[in-house]
Amino acid sequence: MRRSELINLEITDILSDRNQIRIRGAKGKKDRYSLLSPYLLKELREYYKKYRPQKWLFEGHSKTRQYSATSIVKILEKASARAGIKRRVTPHMLRHSFATHLLEQKTDLRYIQELLGHSSSKTTEIYTHVSNKDLNLIRNPLDEIFKEPD
């Protein structure tokens, strides 16, 4: 999800019974749903028990305010440094990685478009050039035409 969507999540947007996250009023003022992994749900439950947020899932210093977008970036920078990642990592890179991994798992582009909240399939198709995991498995049609007889 986008950084702005993350900080706008409310506690009620976690639909644990359906393993989904409701993203309200996303880009284009549209609502959509995304995937909620059982691992993340477990982590969110621990987080909830510890911090007891009131409205926003991620609250700032004041319980009446959301977590700041700048703080999200700082957390990601610290996490990537702890993981030994040398290059700069941005929240949007996580969104790209999510889409790329779905694509590599052979998830239909239309589902990825829905999960990312893209109006146009052209926007989602940007991710197709990123993933080349199976490129070397594609056989060139010329190899079949000019195949040496056994």
Side-chain angles (χ1 to χ4, degrees):
M1 66 179 60
R2 295 173 182 95
R3 182 173 39 170
S4 61
E5 295 165 350
L6 177 66
I7 62 176
N8 283 314
L9 284 178
E10 296 183 16
I11 298 162
T12 55
D13 293 328
I14 303 301
L15 309 174
S16 57
D17 57 324
R18 294 170 47 188
N19 289 328
Q20 292 183 331
I21 301 171
R22 179 181 45 230
I23 301 167
R24 291 172 293 98
K27 195 171 181 180
K29 304 292 181 221
K30 297 179 294 185
D31 293 351
R32 73 174 195 281
Y33 293 86
S34 192
L35 308 174
L36 174 63
S37 82
Y39 173 79
L40 180 58
L41 178 59
K42 181 178 173 264
E43 293 294 314
L44 285 174
R45 284 184 171 145
E46 293 292 322
Y47 165 83
Y48 182 83
K49 286 177 191 174
K50 184 174 181 176
Y51 295 103
R52 295 286 183 197
Q54 301 298 306
K55 178 181 179 181
W56 308 108
L57 184 58
F58 303 108
E59 294 174 336
H61 291 295
S62 164
K63 292 268 187 199
T64 60
R65 297 186 64 199
Q66 300 148 279
Y67 208 72
S68 76
T70 306
S71 294
I72 299 283
V73 172
K74 288 178 183 174
I75 287 172
L76 188 55
E77 286 173 353
K78 286 180 184 176
S80 60
R82 276 196 316 266
I85 299 170
K86 302 284 185 236
R87 71 182 278 202
R88 185 172 171 259
V89 179
T90 67
H92 204 73
M93 289 169 91
L94 297 177
R95 184 172 156 85
H96 276 271
S97 295
F98 176 74
T100 302
H101 286 294
L102 287 174
L103 193 60
E104 288 177 347
Q105 294 173 17
K106 309 276 191 262
T107 304
D108 188 283
L109 209 56
R110 176 68 185 103
Y111 292 123
I112 298 172
Q113 176 185 349
E114 188 71 26
L115 287 168
L116 296 179
H118 291 156
S119 300
S120 167
S121 62
K122 296 286 182 207
T123 308
T124 311
E125 287 172 10
I126 291 168
Y127 298 101
T128 59
H129 80 280
V130 177
S131 175
N132 59 10
K133 179 183 173 201
D134 296 325
L135 199 57
N136 60 342
L137 300 176
I138 300 171
R139 294 197 40 95
N140 188 318
L142 287 175
D143 292 340
E144 290 301 312
I145 295 169
F146 298 109
K147 185 165 47 171
E148 301 262 338
D150 292 332

